[in-house]
Amino acid sequence: NFKKTDDAIEYRQSAFSLMAYNFGDMGAMLKGKKPFDAQVFAMRAENVAALSKLPLEGFTPGSDKGDTEALAKVWTEKSDFDAKMVQLQKDAAALSIAAQADDKKALKQAFLKTAKNCKGCHDVYKKD
Ligand code: ASC
């Protein structure tokens, strides 16, 4: 358990931050902003799949109060929020599996599906 509300907020933000770095690098490769490296891409996808399991634990009761961009709606609509996080975990796991196969098209689709999750949740639950 977290000792303080701030610890829970820091925990989830750290996980999101690491996800953004790894996910962003995959995006850069797919957009041609840097050379595509299948091995690095697969490593990043594996990281995101593992990291996606972390943030939910940090959304503890009362942790809408603090230095956070999470809207109160996370807690008032907690079951929908939880379901969206679980869907992200599933899609990230599928992306990681796709990244291990030599099928760029499938990999791109799995990436886009995961990205849609990020944005879909931010649109509803994150301050802009
Ligand atoms: C990222 C990042 C997000 C998502 C989102 C996808 O790299 O930091 O929040 O992708 O932009 O639509």
Side-chain angles (χ1 to χ4, degrees):
N1 284 354
F2 298 105
K3 283 194 190 122
K4 296 177 286 157
T5 294
D6 283 353
D7 294 343
I9 293 172
E10 198 178 316
Y11 183 86
R12 70 195 189 219
Q13 288 179 346
S14 301
F16 282 132
S17 188
L18 294 166
M19 283 166 74
Y21 181 82
N22 282 274
F23 200 72
D25 196 56
M26 287 192 272
M29 280 190 238
L30 290 181
K31 283 180 197 148
K33 289 185 181 167
K34 64 188 288 186
F36 182 80
D37 182 326
Q39 237 175 318
V40 173
F41 192 98
M43 184 265 288
R44 301 255 176 252
E46 194 182 343
N47 289 346
V48 170
L51 290 164
S52 68
K53 297 177 198 164
L54 304 184
L56 196 48
E57 198 177 343
F59 288 91
T60 54
S63 64
D64 53 325
K65 306 282 183 287
D67 188 6
T68 177
E69 291 178 279
L71 296 173
K73 212 177 168 196
V74 168
W75 290 269
T76 56
E77 312 276 328
K78 196 62 170 49
S79 59
D80 176 69
F81 181 77
D82 290 357
K84 283 184 162 66
M85 285 294 277
V86 170
Q87 189 57 50
L88 171 68
Q89 291 166 15
K90 285 182 186 164
D91 289 346
L95 172 59
S96 182
I97 289 165
Q100 286 165 42
D102 190 24
D103 183 345
K104 194 96 177 273
K105 201 179 159 200
L107 176 157
K108 202 159 186 167
Q109 293 209 321
F111 176 87
L112 290 175
K113 189 161 191 262
T114 308
K116 216 172 147 184
N117 267 324
C118 302
K119 190 180 177 338
C121 210
H122 290 166
D123 286 349
V124 187
Y125 292 110
K126 189 179 177 226
K127 277 176 206 164
D128 46 27

